[in-house]
Amino acid sequence: MWEYLFKSTACLLAFYLFFQYILEQQQCHTFKRFYLLGTLVFSLLIPLLTLPEIVSLSEITPTGLGQVTVYASEANVESESGYLQLTQWKMPLYLAGFLIFLFLFIYNLFRLLQNIWLHPKEVQKNHTKVLLSEPLIPHSFFRYIFLDRNEVRENKIPDEVILHEEQHILQYHSIDILVLELFKTILWFNPLLWLYLRKIRLNHEFLADRAVIQKGTPVGRYQQSLLHFSSPKNQPAFAHAINYSSIKKRMEIMKTTKTKKPYSWRTFLLLPLSLLLLYSFSGRNTRIEQTAGTDELKSALEITSGHQVKPGNTLQDGASKAQIQEYNKLARKYNEMPEDEMVIDKREVERMYELYNIMSQPQRKKAEPFPTLPPPPPAPERALKPSRTPAPPAPPAGIAPPRPPKPEHPDVESKHRRTPPPPPPNPVEHIKELIEAGAVFYYQGEEISDKAALKLVQSDKLQSIKVDQKGLGAPKVVLE
């Protein structure tokens, strides 16, 4: 959660600074409109994207592998602890702010719709005038222009002001504002989103001013009309109004001569910036490819970060949604099969093992239980091939071959002759073998990770290790 917010905010900040110092003074207002909207959405999507990356085992050293492993483990622990903190007190705080801004969003939208329903209207070709009884500055929302009824009757509103608001309607600026207000309701705590909304509103005014001047309106008369109808008050939510604070900036832009090449070389810097942010803040789906002469590295890959990783598996923080869905489909198929009619596909079972090894412990608990598969049938006995070792030479004629000596007490000797029991396995090595087999460990009735199980065995605090192996599924190990 916090990692996503950090990455998306960093991308948003980079795009905002690029606009502030590179694009804002350019005359490409249409490009800037789609730049602000596109980079906002792109910043929120970059942390969710995953780029494929293939690494050869020969390029990894055991030391580097350990460093990567510790990083993945710490990131996992940090994300889990951050989630617990968020659910304790930060989530209620976020929900409180979200509900407040959601109420304001609905209230402001309802006020605009109420003015449309309750006041008289004059339908024109490209817009509809809504005549309000209270004094206000002209503003627009979709195809509606809200005007003071008394000023309309007395013809105090110049045509260029009506034309300005009509340009907002024809260019569908209200859609941009409505989308930004929705984003602001969800991400109300992000100050960059408020700055984005301010830049987009100002760029809308640039677009409308340029369209009015292109219609033949004198610049001086148009600027006087803006000064007359501007107001230091806040403009209505969701609407476009002649705002007092932006008049100076707009007049400076009007005086600037539009160049024949509005898209300067600075504009094309956006491509390397986007690629840099995509590479820096997107996820990685690293796949390890096995190469010749890497036996030592393969053994180092067998246990990493408390999860079993094999050559060819994917190093990532648990399985993806698509991988979990694929595993659930296969596991559900075999769990629903009757035991006496079960038909096993070797490739599907191997795929289930691979997906199960990738999943984290919380994902395994939520996923379908691993099916209990019958043991594989015994291998067919092979016919004994004739030995190629030459037969011993026959004894000379007339001489019987020597007989082996007979024991003095054959019954007693065979009775007491027993094979000595094998020595007990080393507990640490035994646990490592179980980890390689994908075992699931339990301690005091709770499931624990592979790394925790290995630490318990090394601490010499355990009295017994019970292994429950059923079919081809992962063995269950109970530590006591």
Side-chain angles (χ1 to χ4, degrees):
M1 177 67 178
W2 293 113
E3 183 181 2
Y4 170 79
L5 292 177
F6 168 76
K7 290 182 177 181
S8 60
T9 303
C11 295
L12 201 62
L13 177 61
F15 284 127
Y16 179 81
L17 294 177
F18 183 83
F19 178 86
Q20 179 75 18
Y21 295 103
I22 302 297
L23 293 181
E24 189 172 22
Q25 300 301 324
Q26 303 296 316
Q27 294 295 311
C28 47
H29 303 309
T30 303
F31 175 79
K32 291 191 292 184
R33 174 190 180 185
F34 292 102
Y35 169 87
L36 291 170
L37 293 174
T39 54
L40 174 61
V41 177
F42 191 47
S43 299
L44 300 177
L45 291 180
I46 285 179
L48 302 178
L49 300 178
T50 302
L51 298 180
E53 184 178 16
I54 299 177
V55 179
S56 175
L57 279 177
S58 59
E59 301 175 1
I60 306 176
T61 62
T63 304
L65 178 64
Q67 293 174 355
V68 173
T69 299
V70 171
Y71 174 79
S73 177
E74 291 177 354
N76 190 19
V77 173
E78 183 180 356
S79 63
E80 292 179 0
S81 61
Y83 175 76
L84 292 177
Q85 294 178 0
L86 184 65
T87 54
Q88 288 177 359
W89 64 273
K90 296 180 182 177
M91 181 59 76
L93 179 62
Y94 166 77
L95 290 177
F98 171 75
L99 292 176
I100 292 174
F101 281 91
L102 181 62
F103 170 77
L104 293 176
F105 178 86
I106 297 175
Y107 174 77
N108 292 327
L109 185 60
F110 177 76
R111 284 287 306 272
L112 286 172
L113 297 177
Q114 188 181 37
N115 287 334
I116 296 173
W117 294 332
L118 300 180
H119 292 84
K121 294 176 282 293
E122 293 182 2
V123 180
Q124 305 291 332
K125 180 180 178 181
N126 296 324
H127 62 272
T128 299
K129 295 180 181 179
V130 180
L131 306 180
L132 305 181
S133 57
E134 64 271 14
L136 47 79
I137 57 176
H139 57 276
S140 60
F141 178 70
F142 283 96
R143 66 169 284 109
Y144 297 95
I145 300 178
F146 300 88
L147 303 171
D148 185 355
R149 183 187 309 173
N150 296 327
E151 291 183 348
V152 172
R153 291 175 179 175
E154 298 173 2
N155 293 326
K156 291 184 178 181
I157 302 178
D159 294 338
E160 52 266 21
V161 173
I162 302 297
L163 183 60
H164 174 90
E165 298 301 331
E166 189 180 64
Q167 294 306 314
H168 287 305
I169 296 173
L170 295 177
Q171 298 182 32
Y172 302 101
H173 291 168
S174 295
I175 296 179
D176 300 357
I177 300 301
L178 203 59
V179 172
L180 263 294
E181 290 290 341
L182 282 173
F183 275 116
K184 190 180 75 174
T185 301
I186 300 173
L187 302 174
W188 56 269
F189 53 87
N190 193 336
L192 287 174
L193 203 61
W194 296 69
L195 296 176
Y196 253 73
L197 180 59
R198 183 178 178 182
K199 293 294 184 183
I200 288 176
R201 283 185 178 275
L202 182 59
N203 192 68
H204 286 172
E205 300 302 327
F206 293 157
L207 288 168
D209 292 340
R210 185 178 66 182
V212 171
I213 294 174
Q214 289 177 352
K215 294 287 185 180
T217 304
V219 177
R221 190 180 71 184
Y222 179 60
Q223 291 178 347
Q224 291 179 359
S225 299
L226 293 180
L227 288 173
H228 178 74
F229 283 90
S230 62
S231 172
K233 299 179 181 180
N234 293 329
Q235 63 187 57
F238 305 153
H240 290 87
I242 302 176
N243 192 276
Y244 181 80
S245 60
S246 64
I247 290 296
K248 182 179 178 181
K249 184 71 175 178
R250 291 165 61 183
M251 288 186 176
E252 292 177 357
I253 294 296
M254 291 180 200
K255 296 178 182 179
T256 304
T257 304
K258 184 178 180 181
T259 61
K260 296 182 180 180
K261 296 181 179 180
Y263 302 101
S264 65
W265 60 269
R266 300 179 182 180
T267 308
F268 296 99
L269 295 176
L270 176 61
L271 180 60
L273 174 63
S274 302
L275 294 177
L276 178 62
L277 295 177
L278 180 63
Y279 181 79
S280 302
F281 295 104
S282 60
R284 290 292 182 276
N285 192 354
T286 305
R287 184 172 183 83
I288 300 177
E289 283 192 349
Q290 180 177 346
T291 57
T294 56
D295 295 336
E296 296 180 358
L297 294 178
K298 286 191 293 182
S299 61
L301 284 171
E302 290 178 353
I303 303 174
T304 58
S305 301
H307 299 287
Q308 184 179 8
V309 181
K310 299 179 181 179
N313 282 1
T314 303
L315 287 179
Q316 57 186 26
D317 188 13
S320 63
K321 292 183 178 180
Q323 291 172 332
I324 294 176
Q325 291 176 358
E326 182 183 359
Y327 167 80
N328 288 335
K329 182 179 179 180
L330 293 174
R332 192 179 301 111
K333 172 184 175 181
Y334 285 97
N335 282 329
E336 294 175 355
M337 282 187 183
E339 295 183 2
D340 54 347
E341 299 178 1
M342 185 172 290
V343 179
I344 298 176
D345 188 333
K346 181 181 177 182
R347 290 176 297 180
E348 292 181 347
V349 173
E350 291 178 351
R351 181 60 177 166
M352 274 196 301
Y353 274 114
E354 181 182 0
L355 296 174
Y356 191 79
N357 288 331
I358 295 175
M359 289 191 295
S360 61
Q361 295 292 343
Q363 289 176 338
R364 292 180 183 179
K365 292 181 180 180
K366 296 180 181 179
E368 286 282 333
F370 198 93
T372 303
L373 304 174
E381 298 182 358
R382 299 180 179 178
L384 296 178
K385 297 181 180 180
S387 176
R388 298 181 180 179
T389 305
I399 300 177
R403 296 181 179 180
K406 296 182 179 180
E408 297 180 1
H409 303 284
D411 296 336
V412 175
E413 185 174 346
S414 61
K415 181 178 179 180
H416 293 282
R417 185 186 302 167
R418 295 180 180 176
T419 304
N426 186 298
V428 177
E429 298 299 328
H430 186 44
I431 289 297
K432 289 183 178 180
E433 293 176 358
L434 292 172
I435 292 175
E436 294 178 3
V440 181
F441 295 90
Y442 295 89
Y443 180 68
Q444 294 182 352
E446 297 182 356
E447 184 176 350
I448 61 175
S449 65
D450 302 344
K451 189 174 181 180
L454 190 60
K455 286 186 178 180
L456 285 174
V457 175
Q458 292 175 346
S459 64
D460 295 333
K461 296 181 180 180
L462 299 178
Q463 297 180 355
S464 65
I465 301 175
K466 298 180 181 180
V467 182
D468 184 8
Q469 176 71 43
K470 293 183 179 180
L472 297 178
K476 297 181 180 179
V477 182
V478 180
L479 305 178
E480 297 180 352

